[in-house]
Amino acid sequence: MDIDPDTAPLERRLEALGVDGYLIDDDASDPDQRYLSGFSAPDPYQTLITAGETVLLVSGLEYGRARSEATADTVARLSEYDYQDHVAEHGPFEGKIRTIAAFLADHGVGSVAVPRRFPTGTADGLRDHGLSVTVETEGVVAGIRATKTAWEIDQIRATQRANQAAMGRAESLIASADVAADGTLIHDDEPLTSERVKTEIEQTLLEYGCGLDETIVACGADGADPHDRGSGPLEAHEPIVIDIFPRDKETGYFGDMTRTVSHGDPGEEVRRRYEVTREAYEAGLEAVEPGVTGAAVHDVVCDVIEDAGYETLRSDPTTETGFIHSTGHGVGLDIHEEPRLSPAGEELEPGHVVTVEPGIYDPAVGGIRIEDLVVITEDGTENLTDYPVALEATLR
Amino acid sequence: MDIDPDTAPLERRLEALGVDGYLIDDDASDPDQRYLSGFSAPDPYQTLITAGETVLLVSGLEYGRARSEATADTVARLSEYDYQDHVAEHGPFEGKIRTIAAFLADHGVGSVAVPRRFPTGTADGLRDHGLSVTVETEGVVAGIRATKTAWEIDQIRATQRANQAAMGRAESLIASADVAADGTLIHDDEPLTSERVKTEIEQTLLEYGCGLDETIVACGADGADPHDRGSGPLEAHEPIVIDIFPRDKETGYFGDMTRTVSHGDPGEEVRRRYEVTREAYEAGLEAVEPGVTGAAVHDVVCDVIEDAGYETLRSDPTTETGFIHSTGHGVGLDIHEEPRLSPAGEELEPGHVVTVEPGIYDPAVGGIRIEDLVVITEDGTENLTDYPVALEATLR
């Protein structure tokens, strides 16, 4: 990995907290761990950041790979701190604590800040050995991660390319389907279900080295709940929300895109809502630039939707129809990260990668959402998404 | 989900620790959380176990689904404890702490035991509000999870069936390959690589609703390192280790199986090692029964391999060739869980699900491993794996 994190803001925070270092004890499923260590392993390992140095503590099993792959300055292994002896004498739990304590002492660290989700077992264990452990509650590492390097942007762009191929496959399946007498879609003589489209999406992503935990293919009323993943037969003349957020299996970087398509005319009200959503999406994309706040972008999007006569959470915080989520979020090693394009959204900066994804929802009509992924540049944005915006499902 | 966990051992442990309840604050990627809550959500939620009751605390977004899906006795939502007011007044971090504190107070809980990896942010926050938080270091929930119910065994069996289909696809690709002039395998005019076989494995698993994070297709010297996932072109006349450990996307239960196959005769030494590994595997399967320790099963397997003249970690703890791992491990909501078939393996009981997976490794010869997954019954075992054991790759 080639992330090259800028740890200066973290070092300033450590100084403000008056502690010697920042310690993570987690596996690489934690985005902060993966980011700061520049390493990925399935079992927990430790990353220590002090003024000017990043050090990993890994098992002998991971040592060789960590030495060649990790961006950390130094890689230490458990055996250097008598891990096996500690375990033999005190058992695996206390043995590991003593090993970490010895590692910290070796680096002159008597006090650490830790992330909110740092294991209490480790924190209390280290405290028992006289170390000071303080939780860093502001999420300074998430803030650092928000600004991507050119290398990171390339990884996100690559995932988004895979996403485009998967979206093309999904849309083509819907476009080429037949319609049964009851109005449901049929493909190769079998019902075209949400589940089947999701499997084809995932199989396409695999060809690009990407995977996903979940994806949304939600038809009609299902699509009107932004958190419904969708299930069962897809229907003609209904809007179908397809939201794909894959992750590159190698680099860990996500992509994110949504399109809404229909097989056959979904009727005037859906068409009107689609056009309003598209206007809001275009206005949102236009509004994103360095120096603007995420809140201001969200306001622009709400303006378009409210002006067209639909509710938003801004016009009515209790509404269950209309635009019932925020405009977008950061994307990187996590699918939802900073910055937010929401009422609380702060100033956007070059290197931020954000979604712009307005939608209009009503169980009686269905759901509409259109989403692109863009990177903020010195003078505007670059759209990382290259996929047509059209309601009528088309062979791609 | 229909896990129906037996929380009695946990309740006894709470009594011994002198605390009112056991609290988990994690998402469902934590197997203990998923198991005790009988629920799965991507964001952290809280599960509280007290004498006689299991209560979930979830967001409004998850409330409806938790009520219908979770096995917990009661589901509470954050809003019942004034979450929004707490957040408005104290911010998202402290607001959440106050909400959890109010939830605990409402259930008469003033002291909790927590897992080792419980978030320090939550632990310290609750302590600031006068709660006692103690880390439970023995892993009592992992011990409960080791014994599977009939429903759980059915889920593991279903995943293993998907695994068999994927193994069949992988073996068939190797069996039907052509051999290029340089000895590498060719399929459909393209090099048959480890990566390509893995993609086909994963695509097959998807058809069964299963996925995987990693899989092993390791040829020749790659296969001699049990942790090497394998890469690059596969070769004729070499043993190819295929180790697949998929997970059902819906239920979360894993399967696990390994076969070693070769396209073309891999030579006498590989054939001999394969037969010894097969003998060790059969002896291990034969030895597994209730009342026997995992350590005793491991000894039986080591006996066969040592008697054939190969090293084991028992005969030489520093050996880097021969049988260089333990015989097996439990499988369930985690891929590696209790009980262990290793020198530290404790007594096996009905309902335990374990792998039996001896292997013999040497970079100069290649790696061999054969692995089945079995459930321990009242009077022996039931093998959850139904797949031929043969060195010569065959169309399946």
Side-chain angles (χ1 to χ4, degrees):
Chain A
M1 297 180 75
D2 191 17
I3 295 175
D4 193 20
D6 172 18
T7 54
L10 176 56
E11 291 175 34
R12 286 194 296 274
R13 182 92 176 107
L14 296 179
E15 208 176 318
L17 289 169
V19 298
D20 302 330
Y22 187 77
L23 182 66
I24 303 184
D25 174 9
D26 212 331
D27 60 41
S29 68
D30 175 60
D32 289 353
Q33 172 67 301
R34 186 159 186 166
Y35 181 83
L36 288 176
S37 65
F39 185 60
S40 175
D43 293 315
Y45 56 97
Q46 290 73 41
T47 301
L48 172 68
I49 287 104
T50 59
E53 195 184 24
T54 299
V55 194
L56 303 197
L57 180 63
V58 302
S59 70
L61 182 65
E62 300 288 5
Y63 182 69
R65 204 166 57 82
R67 290 254 300 182
S68 66
E69 294 178 11
T71 53
D73 302 298
T74 312
V75 180
R77 65 188 125 180
L78 296 174
S79 59
E80 292 170 43
Y81 300 100
D82 303 321
Y83 176 60
Q84 292 299 349
D85 293 345
H86 288 309
V87 168
E89 192 167 348
H90 304 284
F93 178 66
E94 174 63 18
K96 184 69 174 281
I97 298 290
R98 287 180 184 238
T99 307
I100 297 173
F103 163 75
L104 294 174
D106 186 40
H107 288 83
V109 170
S111 57
V112 289
V114 299
R116 295 176 197 172
R117 298 200 64 82
F118 188 86
T120 304
T122 310
D124 287 0
L126 293 175
R127 286 164 176 161
D128 287 346
H129 289 281
L131 280 115
S132 160
V133 179
T134 310
V135 177
E136 197 281 316
T137 59
E138 290 181 12
V140 63
V141 181
I144 297 172
R145 284 203 291 113
T147 303
K148 274 72 178 175
T149 64
W151 181 85
E152 290 187 280
I153 293 164
D154 282 346
Q155 310 318 309
I156 297 167
R157 186 185 284 113
T159 305
Q160 192 72 337
R161 268 200 297 272
N163 203 350
Q164 290 161 195
M167 185 66 78
R169 178 78 188 129
E171 184 175 356
S172 296
L173 276 171
I174 293 165
S176 61
D178 297 316
V179 182
D182 65 355
T184 57
L185 299 183
I186 303 284
H187 201 280
D188 287 341
D189 300 326
E190 303 247 343
L192 186 60
T193 59
S194 167
E195 291 81 358
R196 195 166 152 210
V197 175
K198 288 186 214 176
T199 298
E200 297 259 4
I201 286 170
E202 195 162 356
Q203 290 184 329
T204 305
L205 291 171
L206 277 177
E207 292 165 14
Y208 291 79
C210 294
L212 46 72
D213 287 329
E214 301 194 278
T215 193
I216 296 174
V217 177
C219 180
D222 282 358
D225 175 353
H227 297 99
D228 194 318
R229 271 61 176 120
S231 61
L234 302 177
E235 293 181 42
H237 309 296
E238 291 281 356
I240 302 170
V241 176
I242 308 173
D243 187 348
I244 314 178
F245 33 103
R247 184 177 209 185
D248 186 283
K249 286 169 170 274
E250 188 77 24
T251 69
Y253 282 88
F254 280 92
D256 199 355
M257 170 170 40
T258 306
R259 289 295 182 267
T260 303
V261 298
S262 168
H263 181 110
D265 183 5
E268 191 183 335
E269 182 56 28
V270 169
R271 278 187 274 117
R272 177 166 191 270
R273 286 165 184 242
Y274 191 88
E275 284 313 312
V276 173
T277 303
R278 185 212 288 260
E279 274 172 49
Y281 147 90
E282 286 169 352
L285 287 178
E286 184 68 27
V288 172
E289 61 180 30
V292 167
T293 65
V297 176
H298 183 62
D299 275 335
V300 165
V301 167
C302 288
D303 285 346
V304 173
I305 294 172
E306 290 170 19
D307 287 352
Y310 300 102
E311 298 285 358
T312 72
L313 288 176
R314 187 182 69 172
S315 62
D316 175 5
T318 68
T319 185
E320 295 183 351
T321 62
F323 180 37
I324 51 177
H325 53 70
S326 60
T327 293
H329 54 83
V331 170
L333 287 172
D334 210 345
I335 180 60
H336 293 126
E337 57 179 50
E338 296 184 27
R340 309 276 158 173
L341 306 189
S342 74
E346 296 185 351
E347 192 173 302
L348 301 175
E349 296 173 17
H352 285 173
V353 172
V354 296
T355 68
V356 174
E357 49 177 312
I360 304 179
Y361 308 89
D362 188 334
V365 182
I368 313 281
R369 184 165 64 256
I370 305 172
E371 175 188 31
D372 276 2
L373 186 61
V374 305
V375 55
I376 291 145
T377 59
E378 291 298 333
D379 54 1
T381 60
E382 180 198 347
N383 197 325
L384 300 175
T385 322
D386 179 16
Y387 196 92
V389 177
L391 177 56
E392 187 185 339
T394 305
L395 267 178
R396 303 288 178 193
Chain B
M1 296 180 76
D2 191 18
I3 295 175
D4 192 21
D6 171 18
T7 54
L10 176 57
E11 291 174 33
R12 285 195 295 274
R13 181 93 175 106
L14 296 179
E15 209 175 318
L17 289 169
V19 298
D20 302 329
Y22 187 77
L23 183 66
I24 303 185
D25 174 8
D26 212 331
D27 60 40
S29 68
D30 175 59
D32 289 353
Q33 171 68 300
R34 185 161 187 165
Y35 181 83
L36 289 175
S37 65
F39 185 60
S40 175
D43 293 315
Y45 56 98
Q46 290 73 41
T47 300
L48 172 68
I49 287 103
T50 59
E53 195 182 23
T54 300
V55 194
L56 303 196
L57 179 64
V58 302
S59 69
L61 181 65
E62 301 288 6
Y63 182 69
R65 201 166 59 82
R67 291 256 298 181
S68 66
E69 294 179 11
T71 54
D73 304 297
T74 312
V75 179
R77 65 188 125 179
L78 296 173
S79 59
E80 292 170 43
Y81 301 100
D82 303 321
Y83 175 61
Q84 292 298 348
D85 293 344
H86 288 310
V87 168
E89 194 167 347
H90 304 284
F93 178 67
E94 174 63 18
K96 183 70 174 280
I97 298 291
R98 287 178 183 239
T99 307
I100 298 173
F103 163 76
L104 293 175
D106 185 40
H107 288 83
V109 169
S111 56
V112 288
V114 299
R116 294 176 197 172
R117 298 201 62 83
F118 188 86
T120 304
T122 310
D124 286 0
L126 292 175
R127 286 165 176 161
D128 287 344
H129 289 282
L131 280 115
S132 159
V133 179
T134 309
V135 177
E136 197 281 314
T137 59
E138 290 181 12
V140 62
V141 181
I144 297 171
R145 284 203 291 111
T147 304
K148 274 72 178 176
T149 64
W151 181 85
E152 290 186 282
I153 293 164
D154 283 345
Q155 310 319 307
I156 296 168
R157 187 184 283 114
T159 305
Q160 192 74 336
R161 268 199 299 271
N163 203 351
Q164 290 161 194
M167 185 66 79
R169 178 77 188 128
E171 184 176 355
S172 297
L173 275 171
I174 293 166
S176 61
D178 297 315
V179 182
D182 65 355
T184 57
L185 299 182
I186 303 285
H187 200 281
D188 288 342
D189 300 326
E190 304 246 345
L192 186 60
T193 59
S194 167
E195 291 80 357
R196 196 168 152 207
V197 175
K198 288 186 215 176
T199 298
E200 298 258 5
I201 286 170
E202 194 162 357
Q203 290 185 331
T204 305
L205 291 171
L206 277 176
E207 291 165 16
Y208 290 79
C210 294
L212 46 71
D213 287 330
E214 302 193 277
T215 194
I216 295 174
V217 177
C219 181
D222 282 358
D225 175 353
H227 296 100
D228 193 319
R229 271 60 177 119
S231 61
L234 301 176
E235 293 181 43
H237 309 295
E238 291 280 355
I240 302 169
V241 177
I242 308 173
D243 187 348
I244 314 178
F245 32 105
R247 184 177 207 186
D248 187 283
K249 285 169 169 277
E250 189 76 24
T251 68
Y253 283 87
F254 281 91
D256 199 355
M257 170 170 39
T258 305
R259 289 294 182 268
T260 303
V261 297
S262 169
H263 180 110
D265 182 6
E268 191 182 334
E269 181 57 28
V270 170
R271 276 187 275 118
R272 177 165 191 271
R273 285 164 184 243
Y274 190 88
E275 285 313 313
V276 173
T277 303
R278 185 212 288 258
E279 275 172 50
Y281 147 90
E282 286 170 353
L285 287 177
E286 185 67 29
V288 172
E289 61 180 30
V292 167
T293 65
V297 176
H298 183 62
D299 275 335
V300 165
V301 167
C302 289
D303 286 345
V304 173
I305 293 173
E306 290 171 19
D307 287 351
Y310 300 103
E311 297 286 357
T312 73
L313 288 176
R314 187 182 70 173
S315 62
D316 175 3
T318 67
T319 185
E320 294 182 352
T321 63
F323 181 36
I324 51 178
H325 52 70
S326 60
T327 293
H329 54 83
V331 170
L333 287 171
D334 211 346
I335 180 58
H336 294 126
E337 56 179 49
E338 296 184 25
R340 309 276 159 173
L341 306 189
S342 74
E346 297 185 350
E347 191 172 302
L348 301 176
E349 295 172 17
H352 284 173
V353 173
V354 296
T355 68
V356 174
E357 49 177 313
I360 302 179
Y361 309 89
D362 187 334
V365 181
I368 312 282
R369 184 164 65 256
I370 305 173
E371 175 188 30
D372 276 2
L373 186 62
V374 306
V375 56
I376 290 145
T377 60
E378 292 298 333
D379 54 1
T381 59
E382 181 199 345
N383 197 325
L384 300 175
T385 322
D386 179 16
Y387 196 92
V389 176
L391 177 57
E392 186 185 340
T394 305
L395 267 178
R396 303 287 177 196

